[in-house]
Amino acid sequence: WPTSFALVMRVPTFIDISVTGLVYLRKGYSALDPVVRNQIQAAFDDYFSLINVDGTVNERVNFGYYYGTDAADDAKVLPLSDLQNILRDCAPIQRLGVSEANFTVSAYADNNTGSYTTRLAPGSHADIPIFKHEFPRFRSFSLTRMLLRR
């Protein structure tokens, strides 16, 4: 017997992620230098991009279905440590603040109806839950910058 199926196209629910962090800049960088902000923005854009610079698929970010190994219907997580590493690995950044309050995230589910559902309230220091049909999307960052004096 012939097999039939129906293809249904769905708009994904995006999980909009914002980051706030306290950073210490390397010697030679200024908190007012736009290069600092541009490099950080580029690093987050690179992580959350669908396609890598070389044209291959970016496997670092995906639908929630592909995160973790929990049961199929449970929320998977985008690790908070991944977001910390993105920021820490930027050339101008020497280190992040050590307190949990020095690196926080917020996450909102964009329901494609003009409304948002809070997933993680601003000031959260936790992994970001992502359900199987949801896709993480970087929204913004704000930094409290400090220069190390030597």
Side-chain angles (χ1 to χ4, degrees):
W1 298 92
T3 303
S4 64
F5 61 91
L7 177 64
V8 178
M9 300 297 286
R10 293 180 55 178
V11 176
T13 297
F14 289 102
I15 303 300
D16 290 336
I17 299 168
S18 296
V19 173
T20 301
L22 169 67
V23 298
Y24 294 85
L25 299 176
R26 295 185 187 281
K27 191 173 183 177
Y29 288 98
S30 164
L32 301 175
D33 187 349
V35 168
V36 173
R37 177 166 281 285
N38 292 343
Q39 285 188 21
I40 293 168
Q41 182 68 50
F44 279 109
D45 288 347
D46 180 57
Y47 182 85
F48 284 94
S49 174
L50 296 177
I51 304 294
N52 293 317
V53 175
D54 64 3
T56 60
V57 174
N58 180 2
E59 295 184 9
R60 294 171 293 179
V61 67
N62 212 324
F63 282 97
Y65 176 84
Y66 296 99
Y67 287 98
T69 57
D70 299 334
D73 292 332
D74 293 342
K76 312 299 176 132
V77 297
L78 174 62
L80 179 71
S81 58
D82 283 4
L83 302 176
Q84 290 172 312
N85 290 344
I86 294 166
L87 187 56
R88 186 206 63 224
D89 292 344
C90 290
I93 308 301
Q94 183 171 22
R95 64 185 174 95
L96 304 179
V98 295
S99 165
E100 283 185 7
N102 293 155
F103 189 89
T104 61
V105 295
S106 63
Y108 297 90
D110 179 350
N111 301 317
N112 300 303
T113 61
S115 65
Y116 290 83
T117 304
T118 302
R119 186 60 56 81
L120 281 179
S124 297
H125 185 80
D127 292 338
I128 299 167
I130 300 177
F131 290 95
K132 63 183 177 181
H133 295 296
E134 297 175 337
F135 201 91
R137 174 170 67 180
F138 185 68
R139 202 32 88 201
S140 66
F141 69 92
S142 61
L143 301 176
T144 304
R145 302 175 198 101
M146 296 183 69
L147 284 173
L148 286 180
R149 306 277 179 203
R150 291 187 181 189

